[in-house]
Amino acid sequence: MEPEEISAYKVYGTIENRAYPKDNKIVSNIAFYEESSREVKFYGIKEFKLSEDLNTATCPNGVTTENYIIAKDKPSNTEFKVFKFDNRTCKQCPLKEECLYKDKNGKPQGGGRRLKIPVRYDAVLKDQKHVETKEFEETINKRFKIERRFATMARNHGLRRSRYLKLKRSGIHITLANMACNIIRMVNILCHPSIATTQN
């Protein structure tokens, strides 16, 4: 079975988890954490405007650059695009205090701003547009029905705590719990349709 949509908690909204649905033409219904209302003291990714293809980056002062290199973080095995802004432009920028990295004395370091973006950040940009749509709101409002099933399996079918070690054996436990839950659900629908309807 190839799913058409995937819904998940915000905590699962990693770049990798957003990239997989995008690559496989699956609608991703994963919300974002709300941004803090505190004053921004240093400009990060969210303060820059990125093109959908991640080939250009525009700083908070409206300067756009297409100059970037591909770098790789060995510990996480993650590739990044490092955008480079012109040194002379950054030195004359009125926002340099909030944008350029500072030394130990609090003075802006030499060189233009460098912006490090994961190469799959395009999936994040796509989901940021999707969460603003009516379709996303309608889908996310139906999630409570799934939560009821999770609560039932945790309360009545032993899924509050796995009795086995490792994913393979735990997967068998989860599959059996789902089967039991679905059989009970099927019996309720066949024998007590009015009760089953109120449980939806």
Side-chain angles (χ1 to χ4, degrees), residues 9-14 18 30-36 46 128 131:
Y9 282 121
K10 299 174 185 177
V11 70
Y12 296 107
T14 63
R18 295 182 185 279
I30 307 176
F32 291 87
Y33 286 104
E34 294 182 5
E35 296 183 12
S36 174
K46 294 180 181 179
Q128 285 176 341
V131 297

mmCIF file with all atom_site columns, all heavy atoms in Angstrom, residues 9-14 18 30-36 46 128 131:
data_model
loop_
_atom_site.group_PDB
_atom_site.id
_atom_site.type_symbol
_atom_site.label_atom_id
_atom_site.label_alt_id
_atom_site.label_comp_id
_atom_site.label_asym_id
_atom_site.label_entity_id
_atom_site.label_seq_id
_atom_site.pdbx_PDB_ins_code
_atom_site.Cartn_x
_atom_site.Cartn_y
_atom_site.Cartn_z
_atom_site.occupancy
_atom_site.B_iso_or_equiv
_atom_site.pdbx_formal_charge
_atom_site.auth_seq_id
_atom_site.auth_comp_id
_atom_site.auth_asym_id
_atom_site.auth_atom_id
_atom_site.pdbx_PDB_model_num
ATOM 1   N N   . TYR A 1 9   ? 2.860  13.909 14.899 1.00 0.00 ? 9   TYR A N   1
ATOM 2   C CA  . TYR A 1 9   ? 3.107  14.979 15.862 1.00 0.00 ? 9   TYR A CA  1
ATOM 3   C C   . TYR A 1 9   ? 4.232  15.889 15.383 1.00 0.00 ? 9   TYR A C   1
ATOM 4   O O   . TYR A 1 9   ? 5.051  15.510 14.545 1.00 0.00 ? 9   TYR A O   1
ATOM 5   C CB  . TYR A 1 9   ? 3.505  14.387 17.214 1.00 0.00 ? 9   TYR A CB  1
ATOM 6   C CG  . TYR A 1 9   ? 2.356  13.840 18.029 1.00 0.00 ? 9   TYR A CG  1
ATOM 7   C CD1 . TYR A 1 9   ? 2.333  12.506 18.419 1.00 0.00 ? 9   TYR A CD1 1
ATOM 8   C CD2 . TYR A 1 9   ? 1.326  14.679 18.427 1.00 0.00 ? 9   TYR A CD2 1
ATOM 9   C CE1 . TYR A 1 9   ? 1.284  12.008 19.180 1.00 0.00 ? 9   TYR A CE1 1
ATOM 10  C CE2 . TYR A 1 9   ? 0.271  14.184 19.184 1.00 0.00 ? 9   TYR A CE2 1
ATOM 11  C CZ  . TYR A 1 9   ? 0.260  12.845 19.564 1.00 0.00 ? 9   TYR A CZ  1
ATOM 12  O OH  . TYR A 1 9   ? -0.766 12.360 20.321 1.00 0.00 ? 9   TYR A OH  1
ATOM 13  N N   . LYS A 1 10  ? 4.293  17.072 15.975 1.00 0.00 ? 10  LYS A N   1
ATOM 14  C CA  . LYS A 1 10  ? 5.344  18.043 15.633 1.00 0.00 ? 10  LYS A CA  1
ATOM 15  C C   . LYS A 1 10  ? 6.736  17.478 15.892 1.00 0.00 ? 10  LYS A C   1
ATOM 16  O O   . LYS A 1 10  ? 7.676  17.786 15.166 1.00 0.00 ? 10  LYS A O   1
ATOM 17  C CB  . LYS A 1 10  ? 5.156  19.316 16.459 1.00 0.00 ? 10  LYS A CB  1
ATOM 18  C CG  . LYS A 1 10  ? 3.840  20.026 16.241 1.00 0.00 ? 10  LYS A CG  1
ATOM 19  C CD  . LYS A 1 10  ? 3.694  21.186 17.205 1.00 0.00 ? 10  LYS A CD  1
ATOM 20  C CE  . LYS A 1 10  ? 2.328  21.825 17.082 1.00 0.00 ? 10  LYS A CE  1
ATOM 21  N NZ  . LYS A 1 10  ? 2.149  22.921 18.077 1.00 0.00 ? 10  LYS A NZ  1
ATOM 22  N N   . VAL A 1 11  ? 6.852  16.652 16.940 1.00 0.00 ? 11  VAL A N   1
ATOM 23  C CA  . VAL A 1 11  ? 8.174  16.147 17.312 1.00 0.00 ? 11  VAL A CA  1
ATOM 24  C C   . VAL A 1 11  ? 8.790  15.298 16.199 1.00 0.00 ? 11  VAL A C   1
ATOM 25  O O   . VAL A 1 11  ? 10.001 15.144 16.124 1.00 0.00 ? 11  VAL A O   1
ATOM 26  C CB  . VAL A 1 11  ? 8.077  15.340 18.630 1.00 0.00 ? 11  VAL A CB  1
ATOM 27  C CG1 . VAL A 1 11  ? 7.334  14.037 18.422 1.00 0.00 ? 11  VAL A CG1 1
ATOM 28  C CG2 . VAL A 1 11  ? 9.458  15.087 19.217 1.00 0.00 ? 11  VAL A CG2 1
ATOM 29  N N   . TYR A 1 12  ? 7.943  14.754 15.316 1.00 0.00 ? 12  TYR A N   1
ATOM 30  C CA  . TYR A 1 12  ? 8.439  13.941 14.211 1.00 0.00 ? 12  TYR A CA  1
ATOM 31  C C   . TYR A 1 12  ? 8.763  14.780 12.975 1.00 0.00 ? 12  TYR A C   1
ATOM 32  O O   . TYR A 1 12  ? 9.110  14.227 11.934 1.00 0.00 ? 12  TYR A O   1
ATOM 33  C CB  . TYR A 1 12  ? 7.417  12.869 13.838 1.00 0.00 ? 12  TYR A CB  1
ATOM 34  C CG  . TYR A 1 12  ? 7.180  11.863 14.939 1.00 0.00 ? 12  TYR A CG  1
ATOM 35  C CD1 . TYR A 1 12  ? 5.998  11.875 15.677 1.00 0.00 ? 12  TYR A CD1 1
ATOM 36  C CD2 . TYR A 1 12  ? 8.142  10.917 15.259 1.00 0.00 ? 12  TYR A CD2 1
ATOM 37  C CE1 . TYR A 1 12  ? 5.782  10.959 16.704 1.00 0.00 ? 12  TYR A CE1 1
ATOM 38  C CE2 . TYR A 1 12  ? 7.947  10.001 16.275 1.00 0.00 ? 12  TYR A CE2 1
ATOM 39  C CZ  . TYR A 1 12  ? 6.759  10.033 16.995 1.00 0.00 ? 12  TYR A CZ  1
ATOM 40  O OH  . TYR A 1 12  ? 6.554  9.138  18.005 1.00 0.00 ? 12  TYR A OH  1
ATOM 41  N N   . GLY A 1 13  ? 8.668  16.100 13.093 1.00 0.00 ? 13  GLY A N   1
ATOM 42  C CA  . GLY A 1 13  ? 8.889  16.968 11.954 1.00 0.00 ? 13  GLY A CA  1
ATOM 43  C C   . GLY A 1 13  ? 10.351 17.253 11.659 1.00 0.00 ? 13  GLY A C   1
ATOM 44  O O   . GLY A 1 13  ? 10.733 18.409 11.456 1.00 0.00 ? 13  GLY A O   1
ATOM 45  N N   . THR A 1 14  ? 11.173 16.222 11.642 1.00 0.00 ? 14  THR A N   1
ATOM 46  C CA  . THR A 1 14  ? 12.581 16.400 11.274 1.00 0.00 ? 14  THR A CA  1
ATOM 47  C C   . THR A 1 14  ? 12.679 16.625 9.770  1.00 0.00 ? 14  THR A C   1
ATOM 48  O O   . THR A 1 14  ? 11.739 16.334 9.015  1.00 0.00 ? 14  THR A O   1
ATOM 49  C CB  . THR A 1 14  ? 13.413 15.175 11.666 1.00 0.00 ? 14  THR A CB  1
ATOM 50  O OG1 . THR A 1 14  ? 12.932 14.028 10.928 1.00 0.00 ? 14  THR A OG1 1
ATOM 51  C CG2 . THR A 1 14  ? 13.293 14.883 13.160 1.00 0.00 ? 14  THR A CG2 1
ATOM 52  N N   . ARG A 1 18  ? 10.323 14.974 6.713  1.00 0.00 ? 18  ARG A N   1
ATOM 53  C CA  . ARG A 1 18  ? 9.577  15.810 5.787  1.00 0.00 ? 18  ARG A CA  1
ATOM 54  C C   . ARG A 1 18  ? 10.028 15.581 4.344  1.00 0.00 ? 18  ARG A C   1
ATOM 55  O O   . ARG A 1 18  ? 9.244  15.742 3.402  1.00 0.00 ? 18  ARG A O   1
ATOM 56  C CB  . ARG A 1 18  ? 9.741  17.290 6.156  1.00 0.00 ? 18  ARG A CB  1
ATOM 57  C CG  . ARG A 1 18  ? 9.136  17.655 7.505  1.00 0.00 ? 18  ARG A CG  1
ATOM 58  C CD  . ARG A 1 18  ? 9.270  19.142 7.804  1.00 0.00 ? 18  ARG A CD  1
ATOM 59  N NE  . ARG A 1 18  ? 8.814  19.474 9.131  1.00 0.00 ? 18  ARG A NE  1
ATOM 60  C CZ  . ARG A 1 18  ? 7.553  19.660 9.493  1.00 0.00 ? 18  ARG A CZ  1
ATOM 61  N NH1 . ARG A 1 18  ? 6.603  19.539 8.578  1.00 0.00 ? 18  ARG A NH1 1
ATOM 62  N NH2 . ARG A 1 18  ? 7.218  19.963 10.733 1.00 0.00 ? 18  ARG A NH2 1
ATOM 63  N N   . ILE A 1 30  ? 2.321  17.501 9.062  1.00 0.00 ? 30  ILE A N   1
ATOM 64  C CA  . ILE A 1 30  ? 3.104  17.627 10.288 1.00 0.00 ? 30  ILE A CA  1
ATOM 65  C C   . ILE A 1 30  ? 3.243  19.118 10.596 1.00 0.00 ? 30  ILE A C   1
ATOM 66  O O   . ILE A 1 30  ? 3.820  19.870 9.802  1.00 0.00 ? 30  ILE A O   1
ATOM 67  C CB  . ILE A 1 30  ? 4.498  16.993 10.155 1.00 0.00 ? 30  ILE A CB  1
ATOM 68  C CG1 . ILE A 1 30  ? 4.385  15.533 9.671  1.00 0.00 ? 30  ILE A CG1 1
ATOM 69  C CG2 . ILE A 1 30  ? 5.233  17.046 11.486 1.00 0.00 ? 30  ILE A CG2 1
ATOM 70  C CD1 . ILE A 1 30  ? 5.723  14.864 9.424  1.00 0.00 ? 30  ILE A CD1 1
ATOM 71  N N   . ALA A 1 31  ? 2.710  19.527 11.722 1.00 0.00 ? 31  ALA A N   1
ATOM 72  C CA  . ALA A 1 31  ? 2.745  20.947 12.079 1.00 0.00 ? 31  ALA A CA  1
ATOM 73  C C   . ALA A 1 31  ? 4.143  21.349 12.546 1.00 0.00 ? 31  ALA A C   1
ATOM 74  O O   . ALA A 1 31  ? 5.031  20.506 12.726 1.00 0.00 ? 31  ALA A O   1
ATOM 75  C CB  . ALA A 1 31  ? 1.714  21.236 13.173 1.00 0.00 ? 31  ALA A CB  1
ATOM 76  N N   . PHE A 1 32  ? 4.315  22.642 12.746 1.00 0.00 ? 32  PHE A N   1
ATOM 77  C CA  . PHE A 1 32  ? 5.572  23.190 13.246 1.00 0.00 ? 32  PHE A CA  1
ATOM 78  C C   . PHE A 1 32  ? 5.355  23.736 14.653 1.00 0.00 ? 32  PHE A C   1
ATOM 79  O O   . PHE A 1 32  ? 4.250  24.140 15.022 1.00 0.00 ? 32  PHE A O   1
ATOM 80  C CB  . PHE A 1 32  ? 6.069  24.322 12.343 1.00 0.00 ? 32  PHE A CB  1
ATOM 81  C CG  . PHE A 1 32  ? 6.534  23.865 10.995 1.00 0.00 ? 32  PHE A CG  1
ATOM 82  C CD1 . PHE A 1 32  ? 5.627  23.727 9.942  1.00 0.00 ? 32  PHE A CD1 1
ATOM 83  C CD2 . PHE A 1 32  ? 7.864  23.579 10.755 1.00 0.00 ? 32  PHE A CD2 1
ATOM 84  C CE1 . PHE A 1 32  ? 6.038  23.311 8.695  1.00 0.00 ? 32  PHE A CE1 1
ATOM 85  C CE2 . PHE A 1 32  ? 8.295  23.162 9.501  1.00 0.00 ? 32  PHE A CE2 1
ATOM 86  C CZ  . PHE A 1 32  ? 7.382  23.034 8.476  1.00 0.00 ? 32  PHE A CZ  1
ATOM 87  N N   . TYR A 1 33  ? 6.426  23.749 15.440 1.00 0.00 ? 33  TYR A N   1
ATOM 88  C CA  . TYR A 1 33  ? 6.353  24.375 16.747 1.00 0.00 ? 33  TYR A CA  1
ATOM 89  C C   . TYR A 1 33  ? 6.161  25.878 16.571 1.00 0.00 ? 33  TYR A C   1
ATOM 90  O O   . TYR A 1 33  ? 6.701  26.482 15.642 1.00 0.00 ? 33  TYR A O   1
ATOM 91  C CB  . TYR A 1 33  ? 7.624  24.106 17.556 1.00 0.00 ? 33  TYR A CB  1
ATOM 92  C CG  . TYR A 1 33  ? 7.721  22.698 18.078 1.00 0.00 ? 33  TYR A CG  1
ATOM 93  C CD1 . TYR A 1 33  ? 8.561  21.763 17.477 1.00 0.00 ? 33  TYR A CD1 1
ATOM 94  C CD2 . TYR A 1 33  ? 6.963  22.293 19.177 1.00 0.00 ? 33  TYR A CD2 1
ATOM 95  C CE1 . TYR A 1 33  ? 8.649  20.464 17.949 1.00 0.00 ? 33  TYR A CE1 1
ATOM 96  C CE2 . TYR A 1 33  ? 7.040  20.998 19.655 1.00 0.00 ? 33  TYR A CE2 1
ATOM 97  C CZ  . TYR A 1 33  ? 7.886  20.086 19.040 1.00 0.00 ? 33  TYR A CZ  1
ATOM 98  O OH  . TYR A 1 33  ? 7.961  18.797 19.518 1.00 0.00 ? 33  TYR A OH  1
ATOM 99  N N   . GLU A 1 34  ? 5.395  26.475 17.466 1.00 0.00 ? 34  GLU A N   1
ATOM 100 C CA  . GLU A 1 34  ? 5.166  27.912 17.396 1.00 0.00 ? 34  GLU A CA  1
ATOM 101 C C   . GLU A 1 34  ? 6.450  28.667 17.705 1.00 0.00 ? 34  GLU A C   1
ATOM 102 O O   . GLU A 1 34  ? 7.197  28.299 18.612 1.00 0.00 ? 34  GLU A O   1
ATOM 103 C CB  . GLU A 1 34  ? 4.070  28.327 18.386 1.00 0.00 ? 34  GLU A CB  1
ATOM 104 C CG  . GLU A 1 34  ? 2.697  27.762 18.044 1.00 0.00 ? 34  GLU A CG  1
ATOM 105 C CD  . GLU A 1 34  ? 1.625  28.234 19.006 1.00 0.00 ? 34  GLU A CD  1
ATOM 106 O OE1 . GLU A 1 34  ? 1.963  29.073 19.877 1.00 0.00 ? 34  GLU A OE1 1
ATOM 107 O OE2 . GLU A 1 34  ? 0.483  27.788 18.883 1.00 0.00 ? 34  GLU A OE2 1
ATOM 108 N N   . GLU A 1 35  ? 6.688  29.719 16.931 1.00 0.00 ? 35  GLU A N   1
ATOM 109 C CA  . GLU A 1 35  ? 7.898  30.505 17.119 1.00 0.00 ? 35  GLU A CA  1
ATOM 110 C C   . GLU A 1 35  ? 7.781  31.376 18.371 1.00 0.00 ? 35  GLU A C   1
ATOM 111 O O   . GLU A 1 35  ? 6.707  31.863 18.712 1.00 0.00 ? 35  GLU A O   1
ATOM 112 C CB  . GLU A 1 35  ? 8.155  31.398 15.893 1.00 0.00 ? 35  GLU A CB  1
ATOM 113 C CG  . GLU A 1 35  ? 8.426  30.621 14.627 1.00 0.00 ? 35  GLU A CG  1
ATOM 114 C CD  . GLU A 1 35  ? 8.741  31.536 13.461 1.00 0.00 ? 35  GLU A CD  1
ATOM 115 O OE1 . GLU A 1 35  ? 8.955  32.736 13.721 1.00 0.00 ? 35  GLU A OE1 1
ATOM 116 O OE2 . GLU A 1 35  ? 8.770  31.055 12.322 1.00 0.00 ? 35  GLU A OE2 1
ATOM 117 N N   . SER A 1 36  ? 8.897  31.550 19.029 1.00 0.00 ? 36  SER A N   1
ATOM 118 C CA  . SER A 1 36  ? 8.928  32.375 20.232 1.00 0.00 ? 36  SER A CA  1
ATOM 119 C C   . SER A 1 36  ? 8.715  33.840 19.855 1.00 0.00 ? 36  SER A C   1
ATOM 120 O O   . SER A 1 36  ? 9.173  34.309 18.813 1.00 0.00 ? 36  SER A O   1
ATOM 121 C CB  . SER A 1 36  ? 10.274 32.210 20.949 1.00 0.00 ? 36  SER A CB  1
ATOM 122 O OG  . SER A 1 36  ? 10.364 33.107 22.026 1.00 0.00 ? 36  SER A OG  1
ATOM 123 N N   . LYS A 1 46  ? 15.475 31.358 9.849  1.00 0.00 ? 46  LYS A N   1
ATOM 124 C CA  . LYS A 1 46  ? 14.100 31.847 9.716  1.00 0.00 ? 46  LYS A CA  1
ATOM 125 C C   . LYS A 1 46  ? 14.037 33.301 9.283  1.00 0.00 ? 46  LYS A C   1
ATOM 126 O O   . LYS A 1 46  ? 13.014 33.746 8.760  1.00 0.00 ? 46  LYS A O   1
ATOM 127 C CB  . LYS A 1 46  ? 13.358 31.655 11.033 1.00 0.00 ? 46  LYS A CB  1
ATOM 128 C CG  . LYS A 1 46  ? 13.159 30.198 11.408 1.00 0.00 ? 46  LYS A CG  1
ATOM 129 C CD  . LYS A 1 46  ? 12.430 30.053 12.722 1.00 0.00 ? 46  LYS A CD  1
ATOM 130 C CE  . LYS A 1 46  ? 12.259 28.588 13.097 1.00 0.00 ? 46  LYS A CE  1
ATOM 131 N NZ  . LYS A 1 46  ? 11.570 28.425 14.395 1.00 0.00 ? 46  LYS A NZ  1
ATOM 132 N N   . GLN A 1 128 ? 5.864  24.299 5.165  1.00 0.00 ? 128 GLN A N   1
ATOM 133 C CA  . GLN A 1 128 ? 5.481  25.592 5.734  1.00 0.00 ? 128 GLN A CA  1
ATOM 134 C C   . GLN A 1 128 ? 4.336  26.221 4.951  1.00 0.00 ? 128 GLN A C   1
ATOM 135 O O   . GLN A 1 128 ? 3.469  26.878 5.531  1.00 0.00 ? 128 GLN A O   1
ATOM 136 C CB  . GLN A 1 128 ? 6.695  26.530 5.755  1.00 0.00 ? 128 GLN A CB  1
ATOM 137 C CG  . GLN A 1 128 ? 7.700  26.207 6.847  1.00 0.00 ? 128 GLN A CG  1
ATOM 138 C CD  . GLN A 1 128 ? 8.934  27.085 6.793  1.00 0.00 ? 128 GLN A CD  1
ATOM 139 O OE1 . GLN A 1 128 ? 9.231  27.703 5.765  1.00 0.00 ? 128 GLN A OE1 1
ATOM 140 N NE2 . GLN A 1 128 ? 9.670  27.137 7.883  1.00 0.00 ? 128 GLN A NE2 1
ATOM 141 N N   . VAL A 1 131 ? 0.942  23.974 5.732  1.00 0.00 ? 131 VAL A N   1
ATOM 142 C CA  . VAL A 1 131 ? 0.263  24.138 7.030  1.00 0.00 ? 131 VAL A CA  1
ATOM 143 C C   . VAL A 1 131 ? -0.646 25.365 7.051  1.00 0.00 ? 131 VAL A C   1
ATOM 144 O O   . VAL A 1 131 ? -1.479 25.499 7.953  1.00 0.00 ? 131 VAL A O   1
ATOM 145 C CB  . VAL A 1 131 ? 1.277  24.225 8.191  1.00 0.00 ? 131 VAL A CB  1
ATOM 146 C CG1 . VAL A 1 131 ? 2.078  22.949 8.313  1.00 0.00 ? 131 VAL A CG1 1
ATOM 147 C CG2 . VAL A 1 131 ? 2.193  25.427 8.043  1.00 0.00 ? 131 VAL A CG2 1
#
